Amino acid sequence: MKKDAEQVFRDLKEDVTKYVELRFELLKLNIYEQASKIIAFLSYGLLLSAVTLIFVLFIHLVFGFFLSKWFGSFTLGFGIILILYAIQVVIIILNRERIQRSVMNKIIQAFNYYEEKAEEAISEKENDEPKK
């Protein structure tokens, strides 16, 4: 009887150890998944920003040539575009804190979104597991 109890406790210890290891592995995989989704989200945002920047740059070049032809002076045409850029820089500097807060909120929302999705997936997997 004593050997049976020892064997049961040994088996129980092995099962608990295996369970903890599997839960830890699941946690690591969920963290990797969250990190990869956030990196993909940020990469997409960076790529979209770069393409938008190039688009806006070419629009300003076209507008600069248009103004140059209209005023008859490259200096005046592109000088107006330079003034527009300077105004944009001033607006960005004046709204620095609002922009930073907005970016931080978006990043926090992305973290929370993927965390909720991961928790939903875990709870669905736990609910789908057969009861012993």
Side-chain angles (χ1 to χ4, degrees):
M1 184 78 167
K2 188 175 183 179
K3 285 190 176 188
D4 288 339
E6 287 176 6
Q7 184 63 35
V8 167
F9 282 118
R10 246 186 264 123
D11 290 344
L12 184 60
K13 179 184 173 192
E14 289 175 14
D15 289 345
V16 168
T17 304
K18 182 84 169 166
Y19 176 76
V20 169
E21 288 173 358
L22 289 174
R23 290 297 288 185
F24 182 70
E25 187 69 25
L26 180 62
L27 177 66
K28 281 188 346 185
L29 291 174
N30 284 331
I31 290 172
Y32 292 153
E33 181 182 19
Q34 271 186 316
S36 65
K37 285 181 179 179
I38 290 169
I39 289 170
F41 175 77
L42 294 175
S43 299
Y44 171 76
L46 185 63
L47 181 63
L48 184 62
S49 297
V51 170
T52 303
L53 177 69
I54 291 169
F55 177 75
V56 168
L57 178 66
F58 280 110
I59 291 291
H60 284 134
L61 279 172
V62 168
F63 192 56
F65 282 116
F66 171 75
L67 290 176
S68 295
K69 188 170 184 172
W70 195 35
F71 289 118
S73 168
F74 280 110
T75 306
L76 187 57
F78 283 97
I80 291 172
I81 297 298
L82 180 65
I83 290 170
L84 291 175
Y85 274 121
I87 290 171
Q88 289 174 352
V89 168
V90 169
I91 290 171
I92 289 171
I93 289 172
L94 293 176
N95 292 308
R96 179 180 54 116
E97 289 182 17
R98 186 181 307 161
I99 293 169
Q100 288 174 341
R101 199 173 324 115
S102 174
V103 169
M104 286 190 311
N105 287 338
K106 292 288 184 191
I107 291 172
I108 290 170
Q109 286 174 353
F111 273 115
N112 288 336
Y113 173 78
Y114 290 118
E115 183 178 344
E116 289 171 4
K117 288 291 186 185
E119 288 174 0
E120 287 175 9
I122 290 171
S123 66
E124 286 177 9
K125 287 178 185 176
E126 288 176 352
N127 291 338
D128 290 343
E129 290 179 359
K131 304 285 182 189
K132 291 185 180 180

